[in-house]
């Protein structure tokens, strides 16, 4: 019997729970030749790496470039949300006008749904804003360490909000991540490049990423399990909520005085940043679909390592042995946590349920 295509809601559930779909993967491997599947995976992983790394470097340019001298991080984030909203609506309209050309849900703004998504949107705004503020105040090389506590907050919030306990080995990997974070902060301070403001924003960004995963699971039913509908409502709400912030923080006045406001290059780079922000959600889901949540996490860790090395080379920085050690601790701890959780989930799936044990003991 043919298996139905994997839905994006299923992909997100797999990503959040740290489980894979082995039956689907096995079936897909039978359907496609090994070389073709290997090529597809290589292309998807490369696309994810290129999109994610490009987005970080481009955002760093927009947020903290000496050539731009634009001190409006909230406006940059607002504009990226606006681009994502317009793209979602445009693709939805195109799918409606030309059925069969693409698989995209119809999007219609429903205020009741927007209100249901609002709690998640507040967390979403915190996540993208603190991410950008962290990137503004810290270097790209330190960016991954600065916001490396997401895994630690996942464990903490799972216990506080969901009453889920964590194994000793998983807690041990969290300890390695925390140690790497503190060593990284210490080494940044020793080199005179530490920004406590940027580090604080990185910690807050990590907290919001964890909260975003928890609230996403609660809110998905309101948008019929559609990731694209959730993306649309999140960004619409964000655009509305950012407007008073732009006024209160005086960023509209700063934008009015910006010398390159009429520059096509500036708006082109801003729009490109929005396109990357839209694309990262799609390529993340694509990578999970063609590999597995576990492979996606490993790929993300390897990408972070490559991004750090590229940043050090691009900005011609010199880092100490202990600084590199802190990065390896963070990346190694994150990889180990992913492996431990994957191993634990696999073990749970393989263990027979009490009912099955009862049946086998009765000889049924």
């Amino acid at each position: 019997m043919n298996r139905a295509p994997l839905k994006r809601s299923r992909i997100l559930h797999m990503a959040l729970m740290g489980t894979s779909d082995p039956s689907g993967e096995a079936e897909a491997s039978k359907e496609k030749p090994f070389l073709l599947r290997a090529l597809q995976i290589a292309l998807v992983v490369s696309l994810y790496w290129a999109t994610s790394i490009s987005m970080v470097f481009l955002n760093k340019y927009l947020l903290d470039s000496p050539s731009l001298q634009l001190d409006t991080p909230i406006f940059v984030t607002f504009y990226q949300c606006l681009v994502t909203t317009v793209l979602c609506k445009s693709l939805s309209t195109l799918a409606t006008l030309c059925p069969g050309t693409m698989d995209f849900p119809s999007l219609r703004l429903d205020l009741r749904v927007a209100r249901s998504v609002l709690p998640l949107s507040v967390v979403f705004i915190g996540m993208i804003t603190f991410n950008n503020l962290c990137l503004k105040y810290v270097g790209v090389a330190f960016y991954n360490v600065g916001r490396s506590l997401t895994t630690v907050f996942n464990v903490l919030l799972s216990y506080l909000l969901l009453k889920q306990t964590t194994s000793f080995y998983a807690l041990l990997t969290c300890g390695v991540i925390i140690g790497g974070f503190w060593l990284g902060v210490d080494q940044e301070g020793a080199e005179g490049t530490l920004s406590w403001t940027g580090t604080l924003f990185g910690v807050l960004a990590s907290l919001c990423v964890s909260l975003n995963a928890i609230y996403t699971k609660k809110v998905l039913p309101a948008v019929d399990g559609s990731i694209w509908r959730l993306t649309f409502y999140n960004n619409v709400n964000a655009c509305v909520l950012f407007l008073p912030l732009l006024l209160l923080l005086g960023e509209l006045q700063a934008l009015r005085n910006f010398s390159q406001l009429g520059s096509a290059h500036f708006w082109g780079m801003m729009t490109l940043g929005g396109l990357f922000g839209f694309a990262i959600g799609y390529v993340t889901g694509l990578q999970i679909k063609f590999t597995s949540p576990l492979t996606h996490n490993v790929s993300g860790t390897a990408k972070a390592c490559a991004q750090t090395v590229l940043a050090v080379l691009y900005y011609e920085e010199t880092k100490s042995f202990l600084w590199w050690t802190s990065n390896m601790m963070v990346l190694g701890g994150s990889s180990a946590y992913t492996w431990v959780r994957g191993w634990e989930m696999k073990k749970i799936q393989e263990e027979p349920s009490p009912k099955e044990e009862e049946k086998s003991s009765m000889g049924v």
Side-chain angles (χ1 to χ4, degrees), residues 30-314:
K30 290 177 185 175
E31 290 172 0
K32 295 178 184 175
F34 173 76
L35 285 177
L36 177 60
R37 181 163 171 75
L39 181 61
Q40 283 181 328
I41 290 173
L43 288 172
V44 167
V45 171
S46 300
L47 183 62
Y48 169 76
W49 278 42
T51 303
S52 181
I53 292 174
S54 300
M55 184 177 69
V56 171
F57 276 90
L58 180 56
N59 278 345
K60 181 63 177 175
Y61 169 77
L62 291 170
L63 293 162
D64 193 38
S65 170
S67 60
L68 276 183
Q69 295 184 340
L70 177 65
D71 188 20
T72 56
I74 302 298
F75 175 74
V76 171
T77 312
F78 161 79
Y79 187 80
Q80 290 176 348
C81 291
L82 184 62
V83 169
T84 298
T85 303
V86 171
L87 280 171
C88 284
K89 188 60 183 173
S90 300
L91 290 174
S92 171
T93 304
L94 185 62
T96 304
L97 295 176
C98 309
T101 56
M102 64 174 65
D103 177 24
F104 204 90
S106 61
L107 298 176
R108 181 180 58 85
L109 187 60
D110 186 329
L111 292 180
R112 288 182 304 167
V113 177
R115 281 197 299 269
S116 301
V117 177
L118 190 58
L120 172 64
S121 298
V122 173
V123 175
F124 171 75
I125 287 170
M127 181 180 71
I128 57 177
T129 302
F130 291 137
N131 263 333
N132 279 350
L133 286 171
C134 174
L135 189 55
K136 176 179 172 61
Y137 289 103
V138 306
V140 176
F142 183 68
Y143 178 59
N144 285 309
V145 173
R147 48 189 293 278
S148 62
L149 298 181
T150 301
T151 300
V152 178
F153 281 120
N154 279 341
V155 170
L156 186 62
L157 292 175
S158 293
Y159 177 74
L160 293 176
L161 301 180
L162 306 176
K163 305 303 178 187
Q164 293 178 354
T165 55
T166 305
S167 70
F168 170 76
Y169 292 111
L171 290 175
L172 200 60
T173 63
C174 289
V176 174
I177 295 171
I178 294 171
F181 172 79
W182 280 115
L183 182 58
V185 169
D186 176 72
Q187 289 304 298
E188 281 286 304
E191 295 181 5
T193 54
L194 176 66
S195 166
W196 281 108
T197 303
T199 304
L200 175 62
F201 284 135
V203 173
L204 291 173
S206 300
L207 173 61
C208 287
V209 170
S210 298
L211 286 171
N212 187 71
I214 292 171
Y215 277 98
T216 295
K217 287 195 283 186
K218 292 183 177 180
V219 168
L220 266 175
V223 290
D224 302 321
S226 169
I227 297 300
W228 285 123
R229 284 199 181 98
L230 185 60
T231 300
F232 174 70
Y233 278 104
N234 255 342
N235 283 276
V236 167
N237 285 343
C239 287
V240 173
L241 294 173
F242 271 134
L243 289 174
L245 285 176
L246 291 172
L247 289 169
L248 288 171
L249 298 174
E251 290 201 3
L252 290 180
Q253 182 63 35
L255 196 66
R256 196 177 294 118
N257 299 329
F258 180 51
S259 59
Q260 299 186 46
L261 190 60
S263 164
H265 170 75
F266 166 69
W267 288 109
M269 296 298 277
M270 287 283 286
T271 304
L272 187 60
L275 288 171
F276 277 125
F278 173 83
I280 191 65
Y282 178 74
V283 296
T284 297
L286 205 61
Q287 181 169 248
I288 294 170
K289 179 179 180 180
F290 276 89
T291 58
S292 69
L294 179 63
T295 306
H296 166 68
N297 288 333
V298 172
S299 172
T301 302
K303 185 274 306 179
C305 183
Q307 180 177 292
T308 300
V309 173
L310 283 173
V312 170
L313 293 174
Y314 180 78

Side-chain angles (χ1 to χ4, degrees), residues 303-336:
K303 185 274 306 179
C305 183
Q307 180 177 292
T308 300
V309 173
L310 283 173
V312 170
L313 293 174
Y314 180 78
Y315 293 106
E316 298 179 346
E317 298 172 341
T318 303
K319 300 297 182 182
S320 67
F321 173 76
L322 286 177
W323 187 93
W324 285 108
T325 302
S326 72
N327 275 264
M328 290 304 102
M329 287 176 68
V330 164
L331 296 173
S334 301
S335 295

